[in-house]
């Protein structure tokens, strides 16, 4: 039960009841001055308490100590109602003791069945006291029947009303849980839609990218071949060599592109195969770096490999592919001539290989994207590429039970770290 809202409501009802109580006390003809005095004292106490509880229900303290507030309010109500039952006990034919039912209802709403039963127990001596006062006053015989009848009725009411209140609370909680669940489902759906939209945008980018990546080298190859065919005799030997080298480079680029597209679809289909072996990573890194340097005179690759690097269990060709991709990227996305560092060392039962560059860096919000299929950072689109390299690299590393991560900041270069379990 929402005690906070409940106490606010009851405190308002108390204030509304106040004028009626005052009118009733004013209109009554008490048998004795003492009775009138007690009636007035009770009413003053009631008025003061009603105002105080009204303020409490709307205060910070009330909202911080809700159960304590309800307990105080319950004690106050019981006290005041008991006092009125006694004060009006002299009235012949008015069943004043029945106002205790109101108290019972409040106890049920506040504390469910247990609260109701406790109140029924408390009210039995009150009703007995009332009967005693009344029979003394009216000079009639004391009857236990009134006490047992009212207490029995109160117990039944506590059982029924308390149960109702508990059920309401349970239903409220259930409805709330369902609303939360619906909210969560809705949120999950929204995220899925968002993700699908992002993927489909990536795919659309990819189509234009690949068509560009295919068309440019094709045009170069076709143009060079035509020129060679039509003007073979007029061309000097170095010119012919240049055209042939161009054809060779561009067809390499096409083959690499097709290779990446095929690899990524094999990864998606789960048919990308590996052949694991014991591997000397230091030698593999040395080889890969030499090959990378072979094509580029301007790039300086600084290698630092810790001695006694542990052996790893891996697929030589695939890991070479990963290293080549990392080194190629480091060169590709750095200014002309900037050095690239390749380090390797053992750490906590793993082998770490790091490829660091002094390029433009990758913004934090793009560091997830670059490992996704076709994921490329906007602005790097002027460089050739498909956005498949790191996707394939990560898949390969994960198949080795390793990790491939990036740490980078815009303007500060990037460091890609490959972690492989030592064998
Ligand atoms: P590609 O290089 O073919 O675009 P990759 O999957 O290898 O594909 O790389 C994805 C993207 O990550 C690149 O397009 C580039 O935006 C970014 N990137 C990768 N490596 C680096 C790097 N060393 N420095 C800056 N950006 C990088």
């Amino acid at each position: 039960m929402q005690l906070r809202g409940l106490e606010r409501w009851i405190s308002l009802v108390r204030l509304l009841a106040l004028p009626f109580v005052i009118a009733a006390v004013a209109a009554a003809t008490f048998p004795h001055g003492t009775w009138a005095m007690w009636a007035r004292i009770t009413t003053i106490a009631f008025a003061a308490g009603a105002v105080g509880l009204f303020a409490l229900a709307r205060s910070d303290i009330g909202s911080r100590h809700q159960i304590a507030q309800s307990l105080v309010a319950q004690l106050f109500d019981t006290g005041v109602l008991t006092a009125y039952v006694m004060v009006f006990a002299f009235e012949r034919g008015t069943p004043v003791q029945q106002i205790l039912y109101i108290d019972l209802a409040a106890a049920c709403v506040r504390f469910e069945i247990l609260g109701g039963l406790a109140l029924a127990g408390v009210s039995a001596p009150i009703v007995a006291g009332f009967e005693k006062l009344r029979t003394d006053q009216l000079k009639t015989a004391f009857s236990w029947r009134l006490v047992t009848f009212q207490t029995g009725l109160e117990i039944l009411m506590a059982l029924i009303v308390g149960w109702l209140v508990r059920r309401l609370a349970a239903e409220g909680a259930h409805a709330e849980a369902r609303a939360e669940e619906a909210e969560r489902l809705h949120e999950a759906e929204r995220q899925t839609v968002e993700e699908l939209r992002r993927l489909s945008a990536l795919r659309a980018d990819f189509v234009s990218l690949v068509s560009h990546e295919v068309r440019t080298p094709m045009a170069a190859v076709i143009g060079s071949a035509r020129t060679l065919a039509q003007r073979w005799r007029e061309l000097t030997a170095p010119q012919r060599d240049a055209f042939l080298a161009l054809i060779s480079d561009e067809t390499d680029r096409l083959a690499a592109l097709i290779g990446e597209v095929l690899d990524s679809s094999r990864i998606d289909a789960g048919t990308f195969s590996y052949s694991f072996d014991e591997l000397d990573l230091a030698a593999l890194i040395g080889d890969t770096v030499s090959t990378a340097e072979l094509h580029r005179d301007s790039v300086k690759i600084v290698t630092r490999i810790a001695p006694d690097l542990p052996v790893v269990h891996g697929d030589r060709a695939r890991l070479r592919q990963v290293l080549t991709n990392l080194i190629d990227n480091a060169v590709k996305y750095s200014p002309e001539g900037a050095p690239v560092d390749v380090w390797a060392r053992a750490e906590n039962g793993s082998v770490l290989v790091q490829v660091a560059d002094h390029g433009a860096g990758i913004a934090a919000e793009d560091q997830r994207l670059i490992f996704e299929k076709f994921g490329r950072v906007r602005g790097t689109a002027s460089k050739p590429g498909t956005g498949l390299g790191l996707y394939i690299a990560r898949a390969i590393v994960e198949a080795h039970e390793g990790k491939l991560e990036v740490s980078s900041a815009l303007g500060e270069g990037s460091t890609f770290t490959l972690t492989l379990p030592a064998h």
Side-chain angles (χ1 to χ4, degrees):
M1 198 71 205
Q2 272 293 326
L3 286 178
R4 185 175 161 73
L6 176 69
E7 290 311 334
R8 284 184 172 202
W9 175 242
I10 294 184
S11 67
L12 185 68
V13 172
R14 246 185 242 113
L15 281 187
L16 291 177
L18 194 56
F20 292 97
V21 174
I22 292 172
V25 170
T29 29
F30 292 97
H32 197 281
T34 328
W35 291 74
M37 184 191 74
W38 279 114
R40 262 180 250 123
I41 291 175
T42 306
T43 307
I44 290 167
F46 178 47
V51 172
L53 287 172
F54 184 83
L56 181 66
R58 282 153 187 79
S59 72
D60 258 9
I61 310 172
S63 58
R64 262 186 281 122
H65 308 280
Q66 290 184 16
I67 294 187
Q69 182 195 358
S70 287
L71 262 173
V72 168
Q74 184 67 51
L75 288 176
F76 172 78
D77 290 343
T78 306
V80 165
L81 289 173
T82 304
Y84 278 121
V85 167
M86 300 305 174
V87 160
F88 284 99
F90 68 89
E91 280 199 331
R92 188 187 293 273
T94 316
V96 200
Q97 81 286 3
Q98 288 184 8
I99 56 174
L100 288 173
Y101 289 139
I102 298 176
D103 203 23
L104 180 96
C108 285
V109 176
R110 283 184 180 120
F111 306 113
E112 299 183 5
I113 295 181
L114 269 183
L117 289 178
L119 202 108
V122 169
S123 83
I126 299 173
V127 179
F130 160 80
E131 176 68 356
K132 174 88 175 71
L133 261 181
R134 194 177 69 114
T135 47
D136 283 357
Q137 189 63 30
L138 302 178
K139 313 258 181 296
T140 51
F142 183 94
S143 153
W144 278 108
R145 276 193 52 204
L146 184 97
V147 181
T148 50
F149 178 78
Q150 172 136 351
T151 307
L153 214 58
E154 284 188 10
I155 290 172
L156 290 181
M157 272 179 69
L159 292 176
I160 294 169
V161 179
W163 180 82
L164 260 178
V165 170
R166 175 175 299 175
R167 221 186 86 163
L168 255 173
E171 266 172 24
H174 184 63
E176 219 164 83
R178 281 184 50 179
E180 263 172 34
E181 177 72 23
E183 182 69 28
R184 262 201 302 279
L185 281 178
H186 175 75
E187 178 57 21
E189 221 156 83
R190 202 189 56 74
Q191 280 177 2
T192 311
V193 168
E194 193 67 27
E195 188 63 15
L196 285 177
R197 192 171 295 148
R198 214 172 57 79
L199 287 178
S200 106
L202 275 182
R203 208 149 283 159
D205 284 354
F206 170 72
V207 172
S208 63
L209 192 81
V210 167
S211 59
H212 173 261
E213 287 291 299
V214 173
R215 220 178 273 146
T216 317
M218 282 289 240
V221 170
I222 293 169
S224 307
R226 274 212 188 113
T227 312
L228 283 175
Q230 290 165 1
R231 300 171 48 203
W232 182 264
R233 280 169 216 289
E234 303 155 38
L235 293 172
T236 61
Q239 281 173 325
R240 288 180 198 153
D241 286 345
F243 277 116
L244 287 172
L246 186 67
I247 292 178
S248 163
D249 285 353
E250 295 301 318
T251 42
D252 277 353
R253 220 172 112 183
L254 276 172
L257 168 74
I258 292 167
E260 281 193 338
V261 172
L262 286 180
D263 281 353
S264 74
S265 41
R266 284 199 197 106
I267 286 171
D268 293 346
T271 55
F272 199 56
S273 58
Y274 297 89
S275 76
F276 287 91
D277 221 338
E278 295 205 343
L279 254 183
D280 176 2
L281 211 52
L284 182 68
I285 295 170
D287 273 6
T288 315
V289 169
S290 315
T291 315
E293 275 176 327
L294 205 64
H295 302 301
R296 306 181 189 86
D297 305 327
S298 60
V299 181
K300 198 166 137 51
I301 302 178
V302 183
T303 327
R304 221 170 339 130
I305 300 176
D308 55 33
L309 212 57
V311 167
V312 298
H313 190 63
D315 183 318
R316 173 181 296 275
R318 300 296 190 213
L319 287 180
R320 192 187 177 118
Q321 190 176 345
V322 173
L323 289 172
T324 305
N325 181 245
L326 296 182
I327 295 172
D328 282 354
N329 278 350
V331 173
K332 184 160 71 170
Y333 298 109
S334 296
E336 185 90 29
V340 170
D341 299 305
V342 180
W343 301 308
R345 64 175 189 282
E347 202 178 281
N348 305 330
S350 300
V351 184
L352 261 64
V353 183
Q354 289 186 308
V355 179
D357 63 54
H358 302 278
I362 303 160
E365 66 265 25
D366 291 324
Q367 290 177 8
R368 192 171 82 102
L369 166 83
I370 59 171
F371 290 101
E372 288 180 354
K373 206 172 172 183
F374 315 131
R376 305 196 78 203
V377 179
R378 292 201 181 276
T380 48
S382 57
K383 305 269 184 184
T386 53
L388 287 174
L390 288 176
Y391 172 74
I392 297 168
R394 187 172 258 183
I396 293 174
V397 172
E398 283 173 357
H400 284 75
E401 283 161 11
K403 280 186 303 189
L404 179 59
E405 291 156 324
V406 65
S407 96
S408 179
L410 274 186
E412 292 179 12
S414 314
T415 302
F416 283 83
T417 305
L418 161 64
T419 313
L420 291 172
H423 190 42

